[in-house]
Amino acid sequence: MSAGGAAARLTLPGDPPGGRRATAVWGIGVSVYFVAVIFRTSLGVAGLDAADRFDVNASALSTFSILQLLVYAGMQIPVGLLVDRLGTKRVLTIGVVLFTAGQLGFAFSPTYGTALASRALLGCGDAMTFISVLRLGTRWFPARRGPLVAQLAGLVGMAGNLVSTLVLARLLHGVGWTAAFAGSALAGVVVLVLMLLFLKDHPEGHEPEPFPHRGAAYVRRQIAASWREPGTRLGLWVHFTTQFPAMVFLLLWGLPFLVEAQGLDRGTAGGLLTLVVLSNMAVGLVYGQVVARHHGARLPLTLGTVGTTAVLWATTLAWPGAHAPMWLLVTLCAVLGACGPASMIGFDFARPANPPERQGTASGITNMGGFVASMTTLFAIGVLLDATGDDYRIAFSSVFVLQAFGVSQILRLRGQAARRERERLVASRVSSVHVPV
């Protein structure tokens, strides 16, 4: 058996048992993330409407998503520290209150400035959800289930994206801006009630060991110890390199690209955005199963996804003539669906590199990667569109710059992370031999 296969099958002493109760509690946490993604991606189907409502250009429109992601990315390490210190339920409660208030504020915003403030508030609450859900999974399920549980969480998040694409888009054009966004905010109230009534941080008998939390020294120690692990840094760069092409497409620029650059009507463009989401959900199930069984597949899946995405984008942008053919756009959107599941592999590098008391912090560092890349690309595309007179070929070429940089960092760190993971596997085997049955 390979080291990767052994790692995938290893059951550590003291692992949570999983089971139906774990699934039910985890399901409540994931429902919070589901609603957060609906709110996060709601602007993706309302980008053109927002430009008309607030009378803004491409750069100003991209500022909505950039600010939201800036807040999200900036909150990742603080949220990771809070989860490690306060637990999942408290952090998720704060997050739900903030992102629901942000969505409601966006519904009633009369000006561009108040709408920006609302998206920032939403981003702050959204930032508290995914790391909390990852932590909930590690507290309720055995370690060997980690890759699959994380991919399933990402799949549920993409289902939230699907709701934005199919349901919120229709509400927006049926009942109008204010009613659509205010009505969707009610979902935040529902998950808040469920969480307060039924969510628990961990199963009985699996309470985390007390760990000293003393001010700034604790913060520095947690961040420094997590960052020293090559697996944490590799996880960050995997997330950075894989997530952003699909995130940028779904969050803001996909619909304008398909309508304005490719000449599609809104219905057809919406169908292609839906294809990205459906592909994400299908690929997520496959990637989760593969990584859970064969840890050695993590890097090939990552680099294969990046390479295929780059080839499809290059072919689409370089296609002669005004518009790419429909078969190519369909293939591009199907491949973009693999970006989200590939980004989840970043957590499968960071998770085994850190002990339980640092899981939140390490996940926060990893999760920053993709959102920093998305924020950078959103800004670059908006600026390039304004500078070139809406030349989408030039604007979307910025994707390749970030992909190349991310791949160079992955290749630089892969050897260090693999050596460190082998050392931890050997240490786990030795310690498990001495644990009484």
Side-chain angles (χ1 to χ4, degrees):
M1 182 184 296
S2 68
R9 292 165 175 77
L10 182 64
T11 301
L12 299 176
D15 258 359
R20 293 182 179 177
R21 178 103 193 279
T23 302
V25 173
W26 179 78
I28 294 170
V30 170
S31 70
V32 175
Y33 177 56
F34 172 77
V35 174
V37 174
I38 294 176
F39 293 0
R40 178 201 303 171
T41 57
S42 58
L43 186 61
V45 297
L48 297 177
D49 300 89
D52 292 336
R53 179 180 176 87
F54 300 111
D55 191 24
V56 294
N57 61 13
S59 296
L61 182 61
S62 67
T63 302
F64 276 122
S65 296
I66 291 168
L67 178 62
Q68 185 179 331
L69 293 183
L70 178 63
V71 172
Y72 188 106
M75 287 289 293
Q76 288 310 291
I77 292 178
V79 168
L81 292 164
L82 283 174
V83 170
D84 285 337
R85 180 168 184 175
L86 301 179
T88 300
K89 186 171 183 175
R90 292 179 182 177
V91 176
L92 274 180
T93 300
I94 298 170
V96 173
V97 170
L98 290 177
F99 69 60
T100 302
Q103 185 78 340
L104 196 60
F106 196 59
F108 292 99
S109 293
T111 65
Y112 177 68
T114 55
L116 275 178
S118 296
R119 295 307 286 187
L121 189 63
L122 191 156
C124 187
D126 181 19
M128 299 184 176
T129 59
F130 188 63
I131 293 175
S132 298
V133 170
L134 288 180
R135 170 65 173 257
L136 198 65
T138 62
R139 291 298 187 192
W140 281 90
F141 292 97
R144 69 181 184 277
R145 299 291 184 193
L148 182 58
V149 169
Q151 287 286 357
L152 287 174
L155 186 151
V156 172
M158 290 310 297
N161 202 325
L162 191 63
V163 170
S164 289
T165 304
L166 296 179
V167 179
L168 191 58
R170 293 182 182 178
L171 280 176
L172 187 64
H173 298 110
V175 301
W177 180 282
T178 300
F181 281 100
S184 67
L186 293 175
V189 178
V190 172
V191 295
L192 177 61
V193 172
L194 288 174
M195 186 183 59
L196 291 176
L197 291 176
F198 301 112
L199 190 71
K200 289 190 65 177
D201 281 356
H202 47 73
E204 287 154 10
H206 291 271
E207 294 82 0
E209 294 183 8
F211 192 76
H213 305 104
R214 295 200 178 103
Y218 162 75
V219 171
R220 289 194 299 269
R221 183 169 58 250
Q222 286 286 90
I223 295 174
S226 297
W227 185 255
R228 276 197 300 268
E229 292 292 345
T232 305
R233 284 173 285 154
L234 179 59
L236 179 147
W237 287 112
V238 167
H239 201 268
F240 176 100
T241 312
T242 53
Q243 188 205 46
F244 78 93
M247 176 68 72
V248 167
F249 198 79
L250 290 171
L251 198 59
L252 183 60
W253 290 121
L255 189 68
F257 170 76
L258 294 171
V259 173
E260 297 179 352
Q262 298 302 319
L264 303 180
D265 59 71
R266 281 194 178 215
T268 305
L272 287 175
L273 293 179
T274 303
L275 175 61
V276 177
V277 177
L278 293 175
S279 173
N280 185 299
M281 297 170 72
V283 174
L285 288 174
V286 175
Y287 278 20
Q289 293 284 358
V290 170
V291 173
R293 288 173 169 79
H294 310 285
H295 271 190
R298 290 172 298 175
L299 207 56
L301 285 176
T302 297
L303 296 176
T305 301
V306 173
T308 306
T309 303
V311 168
L312 264 297
W313 260 123
T315 305
T316 301
L317 296 177
W319 192 267
H323 304 138
M326 180 56 71
W327 66 263
L328 182 55
L329 295 176
V330 169
T331 305
L332 171 66
C333 289
V335 170
L336 284 175
C339 291
S343 73
M344 298 299 298
I345 296 174
F347 298 101
D348 294 319
F349 285 106
R351 188 186 304 110
N354 291 273
E357 65 269 15
R358 287 206 310 264
Q359 288 294 321
T361 306
S363 295
I365 293 172
T366 300
N367 207 31
M368 282 181 62
F371 290 93
V372 169
S374 297
M375 179 178 59
T376 304
T377 310
L378 282 167
F379 177 74
I381 290 174
V383 169
L384 288 170
L385 284 174
D386 285 339
T388 61
D390 292 338
D391 189 327
Y392 280 88
R393 291 186 176 185
I394 294 176
F396 272 91
S397 294
S398 57
V399 169
F400 306 125
V401 178
L402 273 76
Q403 284 184 319
F405 181 67
V407 167
S408 70
Q409 298 303 309
I410 291 171
L411 296 178
R412 181 177 66 85
L413 288 165
R414 61 177 178 172
Q416 301 174 44
R419 285 192 297 272
R420 181 69 171 143
E421 195 166 291
R422 284 195 296 269
E423 292 170 3
R424 284 186 176 275
L425 177 60
V426 171
S428 295
R429 283 172 169 171
V430 171
S431 64
S432 64
V433 170
H434 297 90
V435 173
V437 178

